[in-house]
Amino acid sequence: MKRVFSGVKPSGNLTLGNYLGAMRHFVAMQDDYECFYSVVDLHALTVPQEPEELRQQAISLAALYLAVGIDPKKSTLFIQSQVPAHAELGWLLQCMSYMGELGRMTQYKDKAREQESVTVGLFTYPALMAADILLYQTDVVPVGEDQKQHVELTRDIAIRFNNRFGEVFKVPEPLIPSIGARIMSLSEPHKKMSKSSNSMGDIHLLDEPNVIKKKINRAVTDSEAVVRYDPENKPGVSNLLVIHALCSGESVAALEERYQGQGYGALKKGTLEAVLAVLEPIQARYRQLMASDEIYDILAAGAAKAREAAAPTLKRVKEVMGLNL
Ligand code: AMP
Ligand code: TRP
């Protein structure tokens, strides 16, 4: 079976964008691939974190992975920091990465602009992400649009390493959904929905239904009053159509037809119903999982499996690089 690896950072509240752009696909891939899914807590450290909060967020994110449908019998679910090979290969790959290419990463440039002081970790983070992926001889990496550049860098690093030291790494492919790869903010539909901004524009997976209702009702649209998919000229309405379509399993074209001549009130009402139908069962499962201790056993077993799967690649890398074993 081909292998899949992907990760989500335990920082902030997960959004509908995380779910529609990434996690939904993680679930769908479980039957056809050998999947490794990680709570990438080392990545969260690139910006300041409260220690106790970080620990809680990691458990909460693991529960959400399970709540959306990751099945620990099929997939390996683990917390990154419990598998030391990630940090170790991360260093080795930093020594195979160039300042210039890391400096070109748009996520780094955006985040560095927002921050007063920037850690070295924020800069070198794509090398750690490359380590996450390459450790497992991954074939496919399902991610949202914003991670494409990092997966491309991972490929460059893998190819460079293999050219220098021999065929050690499989060169992975990104898998980016054709629709929903970039869910936009409801209040600023030119920006992506993001878990750190905490505004009315972001639907969080754990938002109360009445909060979700308020956010969708206030979503920015336009003055044309025609329900039509046109992301360029009608970003707000197009975003609602995409969210609705992905949540209800219908096509955007079918929805355009249904809401013909009905104005935006009906579109918002339908979108709300579709979103709640997806999120309410996820929230119920999440609450159940958080109330039990089951999650700790699942994560311990996942970390053991991940350590075992990662070991051969790390050993090979150290051998070929000339490190004493
Ligand atoms: P992060 O929250 O940065 O750890 O992202 C976890 C996954 O969610 C990555 O694969 C992202 O590409 C994806 N993702 C984050 N925000 C969005 C969004 N607004 N639309 C689609 N995918 C997203
Ligand atoms: N950098 C990713 C993000 O911010 C998270 C991530 C870390 C990841 N390691 C990964 C995604 C490996 C895919 C594969 O969303």
Side-chain angles (χ1 to χ4, degrees), residues 22-45:
M23 297 177 90
R24 197 169 70 97
H25 302 280
F26 300 177
V27 175
M29 295 178 92
Q30 293 183 103
D31 290 320
D32 303 322
Y33 295 86
E34 185 185 4
C35 299
F36 291 81
Y37 296 124
S38 186
V39 173
V40 289
D41 53 350
L42 296 175
H43 287 271
L45 292 175

PDB file of all heavy atoms in Angstrom, residues 22-45:
ATOM      1  N   ALA A  22      -8.307  19.792   4.401  1.00  0.00           N
ATOM      2  CA  ALA A  22      -7.328  18.764   4.740  1.00  0.00           C
ATOM      3  C   ALA A  22      -7.954  17.540   5.425  1.00  0.00           C
ATOM      4  O   ALA A  22      -7.964  16.446   4.861  1.00  0.00           O
ATOM      5  CB  ALA A  22      -6.233  19.373   5.623  1.00  0.00           C
ATOM      6  N   MET A  23      -8.497  17.712   6.604  1.00  0.00           N
ATOM      7  CA  MET A  23      -8.818  16.536   7.437  1.00  0.00           C
ATOM      8  C   MET A  23      -9.883  15.616   6.838  1.00  0.00           C
ATOM      9  O   MET A  23      -9.841  14.400   7.026  1.00  0.00           O
ATOM     10  CB  MET A  23      -9.228  16.992   8.833  1.00  0.00           C
ATOM     11  CG  MET A  23      -8.071  17.698   9.528  1.00  0.00           C
ATOM     12  SD  MET A  23      -8.535  18.330  11.122  1.00  0.00           S
ATOM     13  CE  MET A  23      -8.143  16.946  12.167  1.00  0.00           C
ATOM     14  N   ARG A  24     -10.833  16.217   6.112  1.00  0.00           N
ATOM     15  CA  ARG A  24     -11.848  15.410   5.438  1.00  0.00           C
ATOM     16  C   ARG A  24     -11.179  14.403   4.484  1.00  0.00           C
ATOM     17  O   ARG A  24     -11.610  13.267   4.351  1.00  0.00           O
ATOM     18  CB  ARG A  24     -12.693  16.390   4.624  1.00  0.00           C
ATOM     19  CG  ARG A  24     -14.011  15.935   4.154  1.00  0.00           C
ATOM     20  CD  ARG A  24     -14.726  17.164   3.620  1.00  0.00           C
ATOM     21  NE  ARG A  24     -14.116  17.621   2.387  1.00  0.00           N
ATOM     22  CZ  ARG A  24     -14.576  17.303   1.179  1.00  0.00           C
ATOM     23  NH1 ARG A  24     -15.633  16.532   1.064  1.00  0.00           N
ATOM     24  NH2 ARG A  24     -13.993  17.751   0.097  1.00  0.00           N
ATOM     25  N   HIS A  25     -10.111  14.872   3.836  1.00  0.00           N
ATOM     26  CA  HIS A  25      -9.411  13.990   2.895  1.00  0.00           C
ATOM     27  C   HIS A  25      -8.584  12.944   3.630  1.00  0.00           C
ATOM     28  O   HIS A  25      -8.407  11.839   3.138  1.00  0.00           O
ATOM     29  CB  HIS A  25      -8.544  14.826   1.950  1.00  0.00           C
ATOM     30  CG  HIS A  25      -9.372  15.819   1.192  1.00  0.00           C
ATOM     31  ND1 HIS A  25     -10.111  15.464   0.088  1.00  0.00           N
ATOM     32  CD2 HIS A  25      -9.640  17.127   1.418  1.00  0.00           C
ATOM     33  CE1 HIS A  25     -10.790  16.520  -0.341  1.00  0.00           C
ATOM     34  NE2 HIS A  25     -10.509  17.549   0.453  1.00  0.00           N
ATOM     35  N   PHE A  26      -8.089  13.302   4.820  1.00  0.00           N
ATOM     36  CA  PHE A  26      -7.336  12.309   5.605  1.00  0.00           C
ATOM     37  C   PHE A  26      -8.234  11.097   5.864  1.00  0.00           C
ATOM     38  O   PHE A  26      -7.800   9.953   5.780  1.00  0.00           O
ATOM     39  CB  PHE A  26      -6.915  12.851   6.973  1.00  0.00           C
ATOM     40  CG  PHE A  26      -6.036  14.071   6.986  1.00  0.00           C
ATOM     41  CD1 PHE A  26      -5.674  14.656   8.209  1.00  0.00           C
ATOM     42  CD2 PHE A  26      -5.549  14.639   5.828  1.00  0.00           C
ATOM     43  CE1 PHE A  26      -4.860  15.765   8.267  1.00  0.00           C
ATOM     44  CE2 PHE A  26      -4.735  15.767   5.872  1.00  0.00           C
ATOM     45  CZ  PHE A  26      -4.398  16.328   7.097  1.00  0.00           C
ATOM     46  N   VAL A  27      -9.492  11.407   6.200  1.00  0.00           N
ATOM     47  CA  VAL A  27     -10.451  10.343   6.528  1.00  0.00           C
ATOM     48  C   VAL A  27     -10.701   9.482   5.290  1.00  0.00           C
ATOM     49  O   VAL A  27     -10.649   8.254   5.350  1.00  0.00           O
ATOM     50  CB  VAL A  27     -11.779  10.955   7.045  1.00  0.00           C
ATOM     51  CG1 VAL A  27     -12.821   9.870   7.281  1.00  0.00           C
ATOM     52  CG2 VAL A  27     -11.530  11.768   8.307  1.00  0.00           C
ATOM     53  N   ALA A  28     -10.930  10.154   4.162  1.00  0.00           N
ATOM     54  CA  ALA A  28     -11.276   9.424   2.937  1.00  0.00           C
ATOM     55  C   ALA A  28     -10.136   8.525   2.460  1.00  0.00           C
ATOM     56  O   ALA A  28     -10.371   7.527   1.779  1.00  0.00           O
ATOM     57  CB  ALA A  28     -11.650  10.418   1.843  1.00  0.00           C
ATOM     58  N   MET A  29      -8.902   8.854   2.802  1.00  0.00           N
ATOM     59  CA  MET A  29      -7.762   8.098   2.267  1.00  0.00           C
ATOM     60  C   MET A  29      -7.433   6.840   3.074  1.00  0.00           C
ATOM     61  O   MET A  29      -6.627   6.018   2.650  1.00  0.00           O
ATOM     62  CB  MET A  29      -6.525   9.011   2.197  1.00  0.00           C
ATOM     63  CG  MET A  29      -6.720  10.146   1.198  1.00  0.00           C
ATOM     64  SD  MET A  29      -5.320  11.274   1.137  1.00  0.00           S
ATOM     65  CE  MET A  29      -4.362  10.520  -0.192  1.00  0.00           C
ATOM     66  N   GLN A  30      -8.087   6.690   4.223  1.00  0.00           N
ATOM     67  CA  GLN A  30      -7.690   5.610   5.142  1.00  0.00           C
ATOM     68  C   GLN A  30      -7.802   4.202   4.577  1.00  0.00           C
ATOM     69  O   GLN A  30      -7.054   3.321   4.971  1.00  0.00           O
ATOM     70  CB  GLN A  30      -8.536   5.660   6.409  1.00  0.00           C
ATOM     71  CG  GLN A  30      -8.291   6.859   7.264  1.00  0.00           C
ATOM     72  CD  GLN A  30      -9.102   6.817   8.534  1.00  0.00           C
ATOM     73  OE1 GLN A  30      -8.580   6.509   9.588  1.00  0.00           O
ATOM     74  NE2 GLN A  30     -10.386   7.078   8.435  1.00  0.00           N
ATOM     75  N   ASP A  31      -8.772   3.994   3.674  1.00  0.00           N
ATOM     76  CA  ASP A  31      -8.967   2.632   3.179  1.00  0.00           C
ATOM     77  C   ASP A  31      -8.007   2.259   2.056  1.00  0.00           C
ATOM     78  O   ASP A  31      -7.768   1.094   1.804  1.00  0.00           O
ATOM     79  CB  ASP A  31     -10.413   2.465   2.680  1.00  0.00           C
ATOM     80  CG  ASP A  31     -11.381   2.483   3.851  1.00  0.00           C
ATOM     81  OD1 ASP A  31     -11.043   1.883   4.894  1.00  0.00           O
ATOM     82  OD2 ASP A  31     -12.438   3.118   3.730  1.00  0.00           O
ATOM     83  N   ASP A  32      -7.474   3.262   1.391  1.00  0.00           N
ATOM     84  CA  ASP A  32      -6.642   2.972   0.219  1.00  0.00           C
ATOM     85  C   ASP A  32      -5.153   3.164   0.447  1.00  0.00           C
ATOM     86  O   ASP A  32      -4.348   2.848  -0.424  1.00  0.00           O
ATOM     87  CB  ASP A  32      -7.082   3.868  -0.956  1.00  0.00           C
ATOM     88  CG  ASP A  32      -8.551   3.670  -1.271  1.00  0.00           C
ATOM     89  OD1 ASP A  32      -9.002   2.517  -1.187  1.00  0.00           O
ATOM     90  OD2 ASP A  32      -9.241   4.664  -1.566  1.00  0.00           O
ATOM     91  N   TYR A  33      -4.796   3.735   1.582  1.00  0.00           N
ATOM     92  CA  TYR A  33      -3.376   4.003   1.855  1.00  0.00           C
ATOM     93  C   TYR A  33      -3.031   3.595   3.281  1.00  0.00           C
ATOM     94  O   TYR A  33      -3.913   3.483   4.135  1.00  0.00           O
ATOM     95  CB  TYR A  33      -3.093   5.507   1.735  1.00  0.00           C
ATOM     96  CG  TYR A  33      -3.281   6.091   0.361  1.00  0.00           C
ATOM     97  CD1 TYR A  33      -4.533   6.535  -0.061  1.00  0.00           C
ATOM     98  CD2 TYR A  33      -2.206   6.211  -0.517  1.00  0.00           C
ATOM     99  CE1 TYR A  33      -4.717   7.085  -1.318  1.00  0.00           C
ATOM    100  CE2 TYR A  33      -2.377   6.776  -1.782  1.00  0.00           C
ATOM    101  CZ  TYR A  33      -3.630   7.199  -2.175  1.00  0.00           C
ATOM    102  OH  TYR A  33      -3.796   7.757  -3.420  1.00  0.00           O
ATOM    103  N   GLU A  34      -1.738   3.421   3.530  1.00  0.00           N
ATOM    104  CA  GLU A  34      -1.272   3.271   4.908  1.00  0.00           C
ATOM    105  C   GLU A  34      -1.004   4.694   5.407  1.00  0.00           C
ATOM    106  O   GLU A  34      -0.096   5.366   4.911  1.00  0.00           O
ATOM    107  CB  GLU A  34       0.017   2.444   4.922  1.00  0.00           C
ATOM    108  CG  GLU A  34       0.499   2.143   6.319  1.00  0.00           C
ATOM    109  CD  GLU A  34       1.855   1.427   6.316  1.00  0.00           C
ATOM    110  OE1 GLU A  34       2.464   1.237   5.229  1.00  0.00           O
ATOM    111  OE2 GLU A  34       2.301   1.088   7.417  1.00  0.00           O
ATOM    112  N   CYS A  35      -1.809   5.160   6.360  1.00  0.00           N
ATOM    113  CA  CYS A  35      -1.788   6.581   6.709  1.00  0.00           C
ATOM    114  C   CYS A  35      -1.133   6.863   8.050  1.00  0.00           C
ATOM    115  O   CYS A  35      -1.365   6.150   9.031  1.00  0.00           O
ATOM    116  CB  CYS A  35      -3.216   7.122   6.756  1.00  0.00           C
ATOM    117  SG  CYS A  35      -4.069   6.995   5.179  1.00  0.00           S
ATOM    118  N   PHE A  36      -0.328   7.922   8.071  1.00  0.00           N
ATOM    119  CA  PHE A  36       0.261   8.441   9.303  1.00  0.00           C
ATOM    120  C   PHE A  36      -0.222   9.882   9.471  1.00  0.00           C
ATOM    121  O   PHE A  36       0.020  10.714   8.591  1.00  0.00           O
ATOM    122  CB  PHE A  36       1.796   8.436   9.228  1.00  0.00           C
ATOM    123  CG  PHE A  36       2.372   7.055   9.237  1.00  0.00           C
ATOM    124  CD1 PHE A  36       2.418   6.299   8.068  1.00  0.00           C
ATOM    125  CD2 PHE A  36       2.855   6.498  10.411  1.00  0.00           C
ATOM    126  CE1 PHE A  36       2.932   5.009   8.077  1.00  0.00           C
ATOM    127  CE2 PHE A  36       3.375   5.214  10.425  1.00  0.00           C
ATOM    128  CZ  PHE A  36       3.410   4.459   9.260  1.00  0.00           C
ATOM    129  N   TYR A  37      -0.912  10.147  10.577  1.00  0.00           N
ATOM    130  CA  TYR A  37      -1.412  11.490  10.843  1.00  0.00           C
ATOM    131  C   TYR A  37      -0.864  11.970  12.178  1.00  0.00           C
ATOM    132  O   TYR A  37      -0.898  11.246  13.167  1.00  0.00           O
ATOM    133  CB  TYR A  37      -2.938  11.508  10.841  1.00  0.00           C
ATOM    134  CG  TYR A  37      -3.514  11.158   9.486  1.00  0.00           C
ATOM    135  CD1 TYR A  37      -4.410  10.103   9.339  1.00  0.00           C
ATOM    136  CD2 TYR A  37      -3.152  11.877   8.347  1.00  0.00           C
ATOM    137  CE1 TYR A  37      -4.940   9.774   8.095  1.00  0.00           C
ATOM    138  CE2 TYR A  37      -3.667  11.550   7.098  1.00  0.00           C
ATOM    139  CZ  TYR A  37      -4.563  10.503   6.978  1.00  0.00           C
ATOM    140  OH  TYR A  37      -5.072  10.180   5.739  1.00  0.00           O
ATOM    141  N   SER A  38      -0.360  13.200  12.165  1.00  0.00           N
ATOM    142  CA  SER A  38       0.354  13.659  13.343  1.00  0.00           C
ATOM    143  C   SER A  38      -0.178  14.991  13.864  1.00  0.00           C
ATOM    144  O   SER A  38      -0.604  15.859  13.100  1.00  0.00           O
ATOM    145  CB  SER A  38       1.848  13.796  12.989  1.00  0.00           C
ATOM    146  OG  SER A  38       2.588  14.106  14.137  1.00  0.00           O
ATOM    147  N   VAL A  39      -0.122  15.118  15.188  1.00  0.00           N
ATOM    148  CA  VAL A  39      -0.337  16.392  15.866  1.00  0.00           C
ATOM    149  C   VAL A  39       1.064  17.002  15.960  1.00  0.00           C
ATOM    150  O   VAL A  39       1.888  16.545  16.754  1.00  0.00           O
ATOM    151  CB  VAL A  39      -0.902  16.156  17.285  1.00  0.00           C
ATOM    152  CG1 VAL A  39      -0.976  17.453  18.064  1.00  0.00           C
ATOM    153  CG2 VAL A  39      -2.265  15.460  17.218  1.00  0.00           C
ATOM    154  N   VAL A  40       1.361  17.979  15.114  1.00  0.00           N
ATOM    155  CA  VAL A  40       2.759  18.416  14.994  1.00  0.00           C
ATOM    156  C   VAL A  40       3.066  19.532  15.999  1.00  0.00           C
ATOM    157  O   VAL A  40       3.153  20.708  15.666  1.00  0.00           O
ATOM    158  CB  VAL A  40       3.122  18.800  13.537  1.00  0.00           C
ATOM    159  CG1 VAL A  40       3.195  17.547  12.665  1.00  0.00           C
ATOM    160  CG2 VAL A  40       2.122  19.771  12.920  1.00  0.00           C
ATOM    161  N   ASP A  41       3.253  19.094  17.239  1.00  0.00           N
ATOM    162  CA  ASP A  41       3.449  20.071  18.318  1.00  0.00           C
ATOM    163  C   ASP A  41       4.811  20.774  18.248  1.00  0.00           C
ATOM    164  O   ASP A  41       4.939  21.922  18.683  1.00  0.00           O
ATOM    165  CB  ASP A  41       3.196  19.446  19.707  1.00  0.00           C
ATOM    166  CG  ASP A  41       3.989  18.182  19.978  1.00  0.00           C
ATOM    167  OD1 ASP A  41       4.623  17.652  19.024  1.00  0.00           O
ATOM    168  OD2 ASP A  41       3.979  17.709  21.131  1.00  0.00           O
ATOM    169  N   LEU A  42       5.810  20.095  17.663  1.00  0.00           N
ATOM    170  CA  LEU A  42       7.109  20.792  17.527  1.00  0.00           C
ATOM    171  C   LEU A  42       6.952  22.019  16.621  1.00  0.00           C
ATOM    172  O   LEU A  42       7.597  23.044  16.835  1.00  0.00           O
ATOM    173  CB  LEU A  42       8.164  19.849  16.934  1.00  0.00           C
ATOM    174  CG  LEU A  42       8.545  18.627  17.771  1.00  0.00           C
ATOM    175  CD1 LEU A  42       9.504  17.734  16.990  1.00  0.00           C
ATOM    176  CD2 LEU A  42       9.164  19.034  19.097  1.00  0.00           C
ATOM    177  N   HIS A  43       6.075  21.914  15.628  1.00  0.00           N
ATOM    178  CA  HIS A  43       5.845  23.050  14.733  1.00  0.00           C
ATOM    179  C   HIS A  43       5.151  24.211  15.453  1.00  0.00           C
ATOM    180  O   HIS A  43       5.355  25.368  15.100  1.00  0.00           O
ATOM    181  CB  HIS A  43       5.005  22.634  13.529  1.00  0.00           C
ATOM    182  CG  HIS A  43       5.763  21.794  12.540  1.00  0.00           C
ATOM    183  ND1 HIS A  43       6.482  22.342  11.515  1.00  0.00           N
ATOM    184  CD2 HIS A  43       5.918  20.464  12.440  1.00  0.00           C
ATOM    185  CE1 HIS A  43       7.047  21.361  10.809  1.00  0.00           C
ATOM    186  NE2 HIS A  43       6.722  20.217  11.346  1.00  0.00           N
ATOM    187  N   ALA A  44       4.313  23.860  16.445  1.00  0.00           N
ATOM    188  CA  ALA A  44       3.605  24.922  17.172  1.00  0.00           C
ATOM    189  C   ALA A  44       4.587  25.816  17.928  1.00  0.00           C
ATOM    190  O   ALA A  44       4.315  26.982  18.185  1.00  0.00           O
ATOM    191  CB  ALA A  44       2.582  24.315  18.133  1.00  0.00           C
ATOM    192  N   LEU A  45       5.745  25.258  18.281  1.00  0.00           N
ATOM    193  CA  LEU A  45       6.728  26.012  19.077  1.00  0.00           C
ATOM    194  C   LEU A  45       7.431  27.128  18.296  1.00  0.00           C
ATOM    195  O   LEU A  45       8.178  27.905  18.888  1.00  0.00           O
ATOM    196  CB  LEU A  45       7.801  25.063  19.630  1.00  0.00           C
ATOM    197  CG  LEU A  45       7.333  24.058  20.696  1.00  0.00           C
ATOM    198  CD1 LEU A  45       8.465  23.114  21.048  1.00  0.00           C
ATOM    199  CD2 LEU A  45       6.834  24.783  21.934  1.00  0.00           C
TER     200      LEU A  45
END
